[in-house]
Amino acid sequence: MTAQLIDGNALSKQIRADLARRTADLTAAGLQPGLAVILVGEDPASQVYVRNKVKACEDAGMRSVLEKYDATLSEADLLARIAALNADAAIHGILVQMPLPRHIDPHKVIEAISTTKDVDGYSTLSAGELMAGLPGFRPCTPWGAMKLIESTGQSLKGKHAVVIGRSNTVGKPMALLLLQANATVTICHSGTPDLGLHTRQADVVVAAVGRAGTVTADMVKPGAIVIDVGINRKADGKLTGDVDFGPVSEVAGWITPVPGGVGPMTITMLLSNTVEAAERLRK
Ligand code: NAP
């Protein structure tokens, strides 16, 4: 392997230590940051995600409340729970784990969360703030990916970044964050005929597709920074990303692993947004 590994666990540890200090300060001032996590249904992956988020909160000294509901919970009842949490002064961040059961409109749910508690950064207001370059809650996964890129010490100014994927939660906000950092940005998606044509010119490649083997070694420019957001399960049950890790790490300059790259940083940025939400009340 010639690429340097960008270790998401190590970077998370550093950032979480700082968040724990800020949490202790807030707690001493009677403002312990509190995160409410709502899970509707029994999706096994979601159960793991919410457990990890709640544990990370508690490890950092924050208050966390996990509300689990049966998949039959009505949309009206979920909206009523969100309204109650919006009014709860001990809760600074509210996260509703996606996906929701089909009878619940995720957009309605996201928009019901108070904009001061939208620590996932999914609301249209948060998206607008990002678009306009205004301060606000940034979506945790792309923001964590940006921190991983920053940790390489490489400036993005004048660099060409290619984002593969254009979801509202990962691809699009990732592209906007890269643009804000003065990269020249290309967004690829399922309608892009020749992905390699774009990625081969990229100083930074961010893969957020959800398909193993999307980025192969012949698609990467020597020395590039490769950030793998994808999470895919292999036949043996192990997790893998969208990037063909072994061969690509012989070409790239920096690369994130899966697991241990973007995943831990997503949770770290959720904690960061929650601390920030509590700190705003002090200003
Ligand atoms: P998504 O909503 O399904 O979006 C996937 C995107 O990939 C879409 O924009 C799609 O294009 C594009 N795409 C699909 N096939 C493609 C192809 N052959 N070539 C180029 N683009 C293609 O997924 P997401 O929510 O953004 O998540 C992406 C991946 O990241 C998933 O594996 C997810 O599990 C993972 N993820 C990880 C974390 C983490 O913490 N590590 C957090 C969130 C998501 P179209 O728009 O044209 O359909």
Side-chain angles (χ1 to χ4, degrees):
M1 170 166 168
T2 55
Q4 290 183 47
L5 195 74
I6 312 177
D7 184 340
N9 284 320
L11 183 60
S12 280
K13 208 170 157 190
Q14 276 176 31
I15 297 175
R16 288 187 201 186
D18 177 56
L19 291 171
R21 275 190 290 276
R22 286 162 62 191
T23 297
D25 277 357
L26 285 161
T27 305
L31 206 64
Q32 183 188 24
L35 175 72
V37 179
I38 299 180
L39 175 64
V40 185
E42 306 289 326
D43 180 65
S46 294
Q47 304 231 18
V48 175
Y49 295 148
V50 298
R51 217 180 304 134
N52 290 344
K53 287 169 185 172
V54 166
K55 182 173 183 311
C57 249
E58 287 166 359
D59 289 349
M62 298 174 169
R63 191 172 120 79
S64 72
V65 176
L66 174 58
E67 298 195 5
K68 283 185 174 183
Y69 296 103
D70 197 80
T72 56
L73 181 78
S74 72
E75 186 180 272
D77 284 347
L78 177 56
L79 294 175
R81 271 316 297 152
I82 292 171
L85 291 165
N86 282 342
D88 185 340
I91 294 299
H92 304 95
I94 301 170
L95 179 151
V96 179
Q97 185 64 44
M98 300 291 160
L100 288 166
R102 294 169 75 98
H103 64 278
I104 299 178
D105 178 352
H107 298 292
K108 235 191 220 178
V109 169
I110 290 165
E111 296 309 319
I113 297 171
S114 161
T115 53
T116 60
K117 301 189 179 188
D118 174 32
V119 288
D120 244 346
Y122 287 174
S123 68
T124 45
L125 180 87
S126 295
E129 285 169 337
L130 171 59
M131 174 91 183
L134 295 169
F137 295 119
R138 304 303 189 223
C140 303
T141 299
W143 195 29
M146 285 301 289
K147 297 282 172 195
L148 290 165
I149 296 170
E150 279 168 25
S151 77
T152 65
Q154 301 298 298
S155 164
L156 283 168
K157 195 170 174 199
K159 300 276 170 61
H160 182 200
V162 170
V163 179
I164 317 173
R166 58 172 165 183
S167 68
N168 288 336
T169 49
V170 188
K172 278 186 210 157
M174 185 75 225
L176 287 168
L177 288 166
L178 288 161
L179 196 60
Q180 237 169 47
N182 285 324
T184 300
V185 183
T186 301
I187 306 175
C188 300
H189 47 79
S190 66
T192 304
D194 184 354
L195 265 186
L197 182 73
H198 303 281
T199 57
R200 269 190 288 277
Q201 298 173 42
D203 304 298
V204 178
V205 176
V206 180
V209 173
R211 199 190 62 165
T214 298
V215 178
T216 51
D218 60 308
M219 294 168 70
V220 174
K221 176 169 152 181
I225 298 173
V226 178
I227 305 291
D228 194 350
V229 181
I231 302 177
N232 309 291
R233 204 164 281 281
K234 291 192 285 191
D236 63 5
K238 291 194 177 142
L239 293 183
T240 187
D242 290 345
V243 175
D244 204 357
F245 182 84
V248 172
S249 60
E250 297 299 331
V251 181
W254 291 266
I255 190 166
T256 59
V258 177
V262 175
M265 286 301 292
T266 294
I267 298 183
T268 298
M269 301 331 286
L270 172 70
L271 302 184
S272 178
N273 276 343
T274 306
V275 169
E276 164 87 31
E279 282 175 345
R280 283 184 191 178
L281 298 177
R282 255 180 137 181
K283 287 171 187 162

